[in-house]
Amino acid sequence: MNPNRNWRVVVLLSLCFVIYLLSSVLMYVFKFEWKPLQNVNLLSEIIHPEKLHDNTSPGDSLGNLAADKANRAKDFELYKKPDLITDFTKGDSITALVHFSEKLAQLKKTKKGKIRIAYFGDSMIEGDLLTRKLRKLLQSEFGGYGVGYLPIQSKVAPVRETAEIKAGGWKTINFMDKGAKNMYVSGFSFSGTGTSYFTDKTLASGIITNKFLIFGQPQGNAAVNYNGASMMLNGMQTVNRQLLANDTVRSYSFKSNTSSVPYYGVSFESDNGVIVDNFSFRGITGVEFKKIDEDFLKAVQAGNHYDLIVMQYGVNLLFRPDDTDYSYYVKLMTPNLVKFKSAFPKTDILMVSTADRAFRYNGEFQSAKGIHNLVETQAKMAYDNNLSFFNLFETMGGENSIVSWAQKEPPLANKDYVHPNGRGTDILAEKLYHAMMKDYKNYIAKKRSVQ
């Protein structure tokens, strides 16, 4: 073969390659398209247009996850799915709890920092039910020790397995008292010269934790006793958080020496890791937060930062067997959601629907007639207020699940056909945890894709 002809072929191929390469670059840089070259773009597999024109760093891209989601289509019907935390954004790889997932990723990588969860609910989580298992799972995966928040006094303390509270001599006000004010987010406030004795039963021997006291603004010189030693209260904010000790003690006594101070609770917690605070209040629906103003909520966040707020209510709205209209609840609850969003602007808020509840209809226990309407109403509130949502009713099994749970051996729910028992709430906690982990893994996958 003629060597000159071979050389010409090589030159021709090289020239074509250079032309195609330059054309591909120009099409990306100047954002124009020409159909003959569009389908043979040499850079299509190694350079993505959105990355070429994006001047942000990987961290900036992750920070814009919320903005990216805002541009995607919404699907309200996602609320019907069990085992899913959703913000109603379409897509299989969406992260609903972006801030929370980012904090989990940082904690997993550095082993430093604290993530705090406020889990609000009614008697469904009373005595640390559900939250005890959720706390254990999260701390096992991401680190952390301690039961978190404990009230100064509690009527359900005798049935709580994760902590012991023995108290006396306290004056108590709560959500149900007419004209009550200066209550903590727990719905309680305590005053007087009472005494309390606390034990964190989640702690193994030798584990160091911080013991914090949470209290309101003291008047003048105020003091308390910690294990018999007098300590001055040095906080002057609306909500204060003072360290009492950092040691391996699992039990301690606490006494107020100043009757005018509003005391809110104590906390056992490690320096790093996940802390889950249980805020249960029997018989409420969440509308009671109207008695706590926004400035107070901001003061709570300033002294006791929360990264995730969970609100699990609804079963107490199902108090009449034939109710099906819950529009009144929207009017009462929405102002509280708006207030929480304003007071906790960088905190993810997750609404958890009611679980199943049954009444006797025609001699047989069946799910409440209005339960599907209530779950949809709760989901619509989350949708309208840009909150995330978890369908506990469908996750539990949906229609008549409380009946089947109560009839299992061993049972997963009480025969009141309202309350899952400890075994049942542990199952629900595991399902919520796995939904959180799925959301977290979506975040990690997205993070890797932009690096």
Side-chain angles (χ1 to χ4, degrees), residues 107 111 113-115 135-136 138-147 202-203 207-209 268-275:
L107 180 59
K111 312 299 182 185
K114 190 176 294 185
I115 296 175
R135 181 187 303 111
K136 184 176 181 179
L138 287 169
Q139 290 182 341
S140 295
E141 180 66 26
F142 297 97
Y145 299 100
V147 74
T202 70
L203 295 175
I207 297 296
I208 296 175
T209 55
F268 288 80
E269 56 190 77
S270 53
D271 285 329
N272 303 291
V274 179
I275 307 299

Side-chain angles (χ1 to χ4, degrees), residues 124-136:
M124 295 283 289
I125 66 166
E126 200 169 60
D128 208 20
L129 291 180
L130 195 150
T131 44
R132 67 183 186 186
K133 185 67 172 183
L134 180 63
R135 181 187 303 111
K136 184 176 181 179

Side-chain angles (χ1 to χ4, degrees), residues 292-304:
I292 300 179
D293 63 34
E294 185 176 325
D295 288 339
F296 188 90
L297 292 178
K298 289 179 178 178
V300 170
Q301 181 71 337
N304 207 55

Side-chain angles (χ1 to χ4, degrees), residues 349-389:
I349 300 179
L350 173 64
M351 286 191 67
V352 174
S353 81
T354 182
D356 190 25
R357 175 174 183 167
F359 291 97
R360 190 184 292 274
Y361 300 104
N362 299 319
E364 182 181 0
F365 278 100
Q366 300 175 34
S367 291
K369 290 180 179 179
I371 197 160
H372 290 284
N373 291 358
L374 176 56
V375 173
E376 182 177 4
T377 297
Q378 291 177 306
K380 191 63 167 59
M381 281 195 294
Y383 183 90
D384 290 341
N385 291 280
N386 296 315
L387 308 178
S388 296
F389 183 78

Side-chain angles (χ1 to χ4, degrees), residues 51 96 177 184 213 227 267-268 352 417 434:
K51 290 187 178 180
D177 294 329
Y184 196 53
L213 173 64
N227 272 349
S267 183
F268 288 80
V352 174
Y417 299 100
H434 288 305

Side-chain angles (χ1 to χ4, degrees), residues 164-182:
E164 181 180 38
I165 306 171
K166 296 179 179 179
W170 296 101
K171 178 183 178 182
T172 304
I173 60 172
N174 63 56
F175 273 147
M176 298 306 183
D177 294 329
K178 187 176 181 179
K181 59 181 180 179
N182 294 328

